[in-house]
Amino acid sequence: MEELLRVGVLASTHGVHGEVKVYPTTDSLERFRSLKETVLLTSRGEKRPLSVEGVKFFKQFAILKFAGIDTIEEVQKYRGCDLMVTRENAQPLAEGEYYIGDLLGLSVLADTGETLGTLTDVLQTGANDVYVVKRPGGRELLLPVIKECILDVDLEKGQVTAHLMEGLLDL
């Protein structure tokens, strides 16, 4: 499991005092209200710890002010970089919820025992998530994350058990 979880991407500067617009990659924009400590993954692959000094919102963006970054020039160089949190600072999950990063790479098995492939992506559609499974041979299988289809997710075993509803293999 990943130690750091992505909560956003630094999209652009905001004003001249070092504030930055963050495009959220988390379910809730509100999670930024309680965010105090973050880690910035720089374009060079460095991990820079940052303390959040201020938070406000504009449209779909969180606007953050980091301690020690006080000019537009200082924050501009981090545009496009990922904003991460440690697992300890991550939002707690309800039962049956998982961090997407923990799901990627899991083996997906049918309830018949057949290996379906590897979970490579999670599409968030609004109604329900959809697991993207890369099948042997390269084709993709889309599995809706509903109780009739996804029977079990076992992170310790590294596998998802799914029931193949009629027609799913035909898509």
Side-chain angles (χ1 to χ4, degrees):
M1 288 194 280
E2 296 290 322
E3 172 62 24
L4 296 174
L5 303 167
R6 186 172 74 165
V7 293
V9 177
L10 277 60
S12 63
T13 59
H14 182 82
V16 296
H17 299 292
E19 291 180 314
V20 63
K21 286 183 187 176
V22 176
Y23 179 77
T25 57
T26 181
D27 286 350
S28 172
L29 191 60
E30 286 298 312
R31 78 99 46 235
F32 287 94
R33 284 197 196 281
S34 61
L35 190 62
K36 300 294 178 209
E37 300 295 322
T38 66
V39 176
L40 182 70
L41 290 184
T42 69
S43 56
R44 294 183 188 154
E46 300 165 340
K47 297 175 184 173
R48 180 177 177 184
L50 295 172
S51 296
V52 178
E53 238 178 37
V55 178
K56 54 188 175 184
F57 301 97
F58 179 73
K59 297 185 180 179
Q60 78 269 25
F61 295 98
I63 299 174
L64 302 182
K65 171 68 176 84
F66 298 114
I69 297 180
D70 298 313
T71 68
I72 192 170
E73 292 80 18
E74 289 176 276
V75 78
Q76 176 67 31
K77 62 184 171 186
Y78 298 120
R79 188 172 172 213
C81 293
D82 287 337
L83 190 63
M84 314 293 279
V85 295
T86 62
R87 282 194 181 270
E88 296 82 41
N89 289 327
Q91 293 285 92
L93 297 174
E95 187 168 330
E97 291 184 330
Y98 305 94
Y99 295 114
I100 291 175
D102 293 342
L103 296 171
L104 301 179
L106 295 182
S107 296
V108 181
L109 307 173
D111 53 357
T112 60
E114 174 191 359
T115 299
L116 298 174
T118 303
L119 199 151
T120 59
D121 198 3
V122 178
L123 305 177
Q124 297 175 306
T125 65
N128 56 268
D129 290 349
V130 175
Y131 290 168
V132 179
V133 179
K134 185 166 185 176
R135 306 262 299 146
R139 289 192 62 209
E140 286 185 343
L141 171 64
L142 302 178
L143 297 174
V145 182
I146 56 176
K147 64 182 177 181
E148 296 84 10
C149 186
I150 303 301
L151 305 177
D152 184 52
V153 175
D154 190 329
L155 295 178
E156 288 183 19
K157 286 185 180 177
Q159 69 183 36
V160 174
T161 304
H163 172 70
L164 284 177
M165 299 166 61
E166 189 174 328
L168 282 178
L169 286 176
D170 300 331
L171 297 176

